[in-house]
Amino acid sequence: MLGLGVGFYGLSGQDQVGFQPSDIPNLSLHIEYTAARADGSAVTSIPETFTPVGADFKFLAPTTTAHAPTTQQGNGSELYPGVVVFSPSGTPDRLNLNDSSDNDLTEIVLDTSNGGYTIFFVGSGGPTILSGNSAASSLVSDVGGGASTYSLKAGGVTKTFNVNNYSGQANNEIDGDDVCVIMFKVQSNGSTSLSIDNVTQINNSLPNTNDFVFDTMGGVDYDGKFRYLFLYDRALEEAEANQIFEHVAHVIEKA
């Protein structure tokens, strides 16, 4: 698959000229907010703003347009071009992963036993299911109030991590409005680590060797803003994880 690159985002001091997420092997899916087409014209369709890499997938709201997230413009800086906003009110906003050839629902399976996997999610939000398949696999945040946690559920088994090593963007704790780079790295033996903004949190959880299944963005109670999602079907090396963090670091800087 080909990476989308930074494109209209521009390059900050932490971005790496020429680096693409696809430069790192085993990239299964790369999604980011897209505000403009290649010709520079504005994107107005919600499914089109929420763009997966490659021709194999596309995202649609459950009824194409109903219950789809909205977009929010940035502050005028090319480094803060805007976000995709999900709301849990009424029927929760969500986008389903579809096969682009026949429009059938499809899924991506990250195989734990075959090298592990790595999930990067860049965004914000309060108590919420961010992505996955809520019946068996999900990435869940419960932030704010001084007791922030992140949970990774795979195969119906949930591992929860306390956020205990994070300097914070508001009052030294994760606030629901904070944009964070969340990384779950799972080894082939099921051992899992959580990093927040490239800082590893203390893990007191037992291993989970189940596979992670991804087929949905949003849904359930996702009340937050999205910027990037990267799925790698391999536990990345530390240097590789640092490259991804540096690639997206500009979105957690204060405007």
Side-chain angles (χ1 to χ4, degrees), residues 103-244:
N103 207 32
D104 286 340
L105 292 176
T106 189
E107 63 186 24
I108 292 173
V109 178
L110 302 179
D111 183 359
T112 308
S113 63
N114 187 23
Y117 59 87
T118 307
I119 300 171
F120 282 87
F121 184 93
V122 185
S124 62
T128 170
I129 290 183
L130 305 176
S131 63
N133 176 325
S134 60
S137 301
S138 60
L139 170 59
V140 180
S141 70
D142 187 0
V143 302
S148 298
T149 64
Y150 280 89
S151 300
L152 179 69
K153 180 166 69 172
V157 177
T158 301
K159 295 183 65 171
T160 299
F161 293 78
N162 293 322
V163 178
N164 45 35
N165 190 13
Y166 175 77
S167 60
Q169 297 173 22
N171 300 320
N172 293 321
E173 64 184 44
I174 295 180
D175 181 85
D177 293 328
D178 284 354
V179 176
C180 294
V181 181
I182 311 302
M183 183 188 77
F184 279 102
K185 183 164 65 175
V186 181
Q187 305 291 339
S188 57
N189 65 1
S191 176
T192 307
S193 62
L194 167 67
S195 295
I196 308 291
D197 292 351
N198 218 28
V199 178
T200 301
Q201 308 301 302
I202 297 173
N203 174 18
N204 295 318
S205 301
L206 296 174
N208 180 4
T209 58
N210 293 311
D211 298 340
F212 185 88
V213 179
F214 175 87
D215 60 16
T216 307
M217 279 299 308
V220 191
D221 57 357
Y222 183 15
D223 185 10
K225 300 175 182 179
F226 164 84
R227 285 172 169 82
Y228 297 93
L229 176 70
F230 303 95
L231 303 180
Y232 288 91
D233 198 19
R234 179 172 61 86
L236 299 187
E237 300 294 333
E238 183 177 354
E240 295 171 322
N242 288 340
Q243 283 185 300
I244 295 293

Side-chain angles (χ1 to χ4, degrees), residues 39-61:
D39 62 6
S41 60
V43 171
T44 57
S45 165
I46 287 296
E48 192 179 1
T49 64
F50 202 50
T51 306
V53 169
D56 296 334
F57 307 110
K58 63 182 177 181
F59 280 89
L60 294 175

